[in-house]
Amino acid sequence: PQVTRFRREARCRAHAMSRRSVPLRRAALLLLAGPSLARAAELGCSASGGSCSIGSGSRLATEHVLLQTARGSASSASSSSAPGGCTPEGGNPWATWPYVRCCLGSSADFGRWSGSSWSFSCQADEARPSATGQPTSANARVSTKLMEWNVHWKNRDLAGLASVVAENGPDIVGFDELMADVQDTADALSKAMGRPFKVQPGRTEWKGFGTDIFFDSSKWRALEGGVHTAQCSDSRNGQRAANWAVLKEHASGRTLIVGGIHLSYCAEGCDAVHECELQEMYTKFEQMRRKHEGAPVAWMGDLNRNTNAGVVQNLLKGMIGMEGTFKVDDLSKVQGNTYYTGGSAIDHIFGEQGAFKVKSGGRTAQGVTGQWLYGADHFPIYAELDMV
């Protein structure tokens, strides 16, 4: 009786859906109406004349698509559900009737989990595969390596700079005080690393000392970006700029907001100036966070302050002056000097609190205190991360 009812309703729903050009997956949700079936939207069928297309063009009878989950694996019911009244990871929650929810830590998903048959399966919530076997964008773990380097404003040794970057293999690079042509810089990085690097969107002209972003375009696609001159009248030794770029990873579809700034140098300290400059950058980050919901922020630059400075401590707590913002973690955790003469680290990489798992970070292996490195008076830093 259940099969007869499903077949009859499937034909009716498919006919109605095709007339309104609504995806057949809606019919599947209406028919089965189980709490776990929101993920069935991954199926992506389109109704047309009582049949549908799945994935790369295979065609199945409409009722076949809707019925096989309900009846396809009933014979394995005895091994599908756990004693505790839930379906274990890898089991089909529809193997028995009625639906048996997935155990804690997993959710039902629809796809080809084994062989060529489509079915539901309880998949781990972390990095759960989609119907095509690829990680879903919401849960996929994305690995990335960021590198930041103040290369000195007079430096034109692009081949030397690129050789240092290539030894570290990052996929996102932030250069401070870069006055060389940005396209030439991207070309030098591409040649040295054997991967196609591009400059961030919006970096068409110099607008101040910021952190120019370059990225591996075989891994990331730029959605948008820009450079904004900081409107801070008390900035020292030249105007400052806030850089930002929104990058989308090809493999997972996950999005990352990156950027940075080079804060003014004030020998005596100038909290108000630094707070103004930081606020200019964070305004852009907040705009991007609202527009690209769920995308975490990672940023870097020469702050001319160590992590013990009050301004930096406030950043970690989610404050700029008296204004609240998102909290950040110190991702690079640099030990030792980043300026060639010595002292403590003044170059940093920060990331939105809780959004990244740090695998490694700090200064790279290049650079000797007391010596410049390929025309740069700072030493490069990095952070190797997983987006979580």
Side-chain angles (χ1 to χ4, degrees), residues 267-287:
E268 74 286 1
C270 49
D271 287 1
V273 173
H274 288 166
E275 288 165 356
C276 176
E277 294 167 350
L278 287 166
Q279 191 61 64
E280 294 284 299
M281 178 179 66
Y282 267 71
T283 297
K284 297 300 180 183
F285 287 158
E286 293 285 10
Q287 291 172 357

Side-chain angles (χ1 to χ4, degrees), residues 28-329:
L29 291 170
L30 288 168
L31 282 172
L32 301 180
S36 69
L37 298 191
R39 295 293 301 168
E42 298 290 345
L43 178 58
C45 296
S46 59
S48 177
S51 61
C52 70
S53 296
I54 301 177
S56 58
S58 62
R59 300 184 71 80
L60 295 172
T62 303
E63 61 266 36
H64 186 186
V65 175
L66 298 176
L67 289 172
Q68 68 176 15
T69 297
R71 65 182 183 180
S73 55
S75 61
S76 62
S78 61
S79 61
S80 296
S81 56
C86 63
T87 303
E89 184 177 341
N92 185 345
W94 288 96
T96 59
W97 189 267
Y99 165 87
V100 179
R101 65 178 179 81
C102 294
C103 295
L104 187 66
S106 63
S107 302
D109 207 347
F110 191 70
R112 286 191 175 107
W113 311 112
S114 61
S116 59
S117 297
W118 288 78
S119 64
F120 282 93
S121 177
C122 292
Q123 297 291 311
D125 289 333
E126 181 174 301
R128 184 170 68 243
S130 71
T132 60
Q134 297 300 317
T136 60
S137 60
N139 297 294
R141 185 178 294 274
V142 175
S143 296
T144 184
K145 188 173 184 179
L146 281 63
M147 180 175 173
E148 185 272 345
W149 192 7
N150 182 335
V151 297
H152 195 270
W153 63 277
K154 289 185 177 180
N155 200 337
R156 298 296 186 273
D157 186 3
L158 296 182
L161 298 178
S163 69
V164 172
V165 174
E167 288 184 43
N168 294 278
D171 51 273
I172 300 174
V173 181
F175 283 138
D176 284 23
E177 293 191 20
L178 180 68
M179 302 295 283
D181 182 85
V182 291
Q183 187 55 57
D184 290 345
T185 304
D187 291 344
L189 291 172
S190 301
K191 182 178 179 179
M193 287 195 276
R195 291 182 280 151
F197 270 73
K198 291 184 177 180
V199 65
Q200 65 163 93
R203 178 53 168 92
T204 55
E205 59 183 321
W206 189 83
K207 295 185 177 180
F209 291 112
T211 303
D212 294 320
I213 302 298
F214 297 82
F215 63 95
D216 178 357
S217 62
S218 67
K219 179 178 177 65
W220 301 97
R221 176 169 67 93
L223 301 181
E224 61 178 302
V227 185
H228 170 72
T229 301
Q231 304 300 306
C232 301
S233 58
D234 292 331
S235 290
R236 316 289 175 86
N237 304 308
Q239 61 194 22
R240 304 290 141 170
N243 297 66
W244 74 95
V246 182
L247 305 179
K248 185 174 184 178
E249 197 207 24
H250 295 303
S252 67
R254 292 194 64 183
T255 307
L256 173 67
I257 302 168
V258 294
I261 194 167
H262 179 3
L263 298 184
S264 293
Y265 171 70
C266 311
E268 74 286 1
C270 49
D271 287 1
V273 173
H274 288 166
E275 288 165 356
C276 176
E277 294 167 350
L278 287 166
Q279 191 61 64
E280 294 284 299
M281 178 179 66
Y282 267 71
T283 297
K284 297 300 180 183
F285 287 158
E286 293 285 10
Q287 291 172 357
M288 294 301 103
R289 291 174 80 235
R290 289 192 295 270
K291 185 174 181 180
H292 301 275
E293 187 175 355
V297 176
W299 66 272
M300 48 194 159
D302 174 1
L303 303 192
N304 278 310
R305 306 296 289 268
N306 62 39
T307 53
N308 294 321
V311 169
V312 179
Q313 284 295 306
N314 284 341
L315 284 175
L316 298 173
K317 299 172 185 176
M319 296 293 294
I320 301 176
M322 300 299 292
E323 299 293 325
T325 185
F326 57 91
K327 297 178 181 180
V328 294
D329 294 322

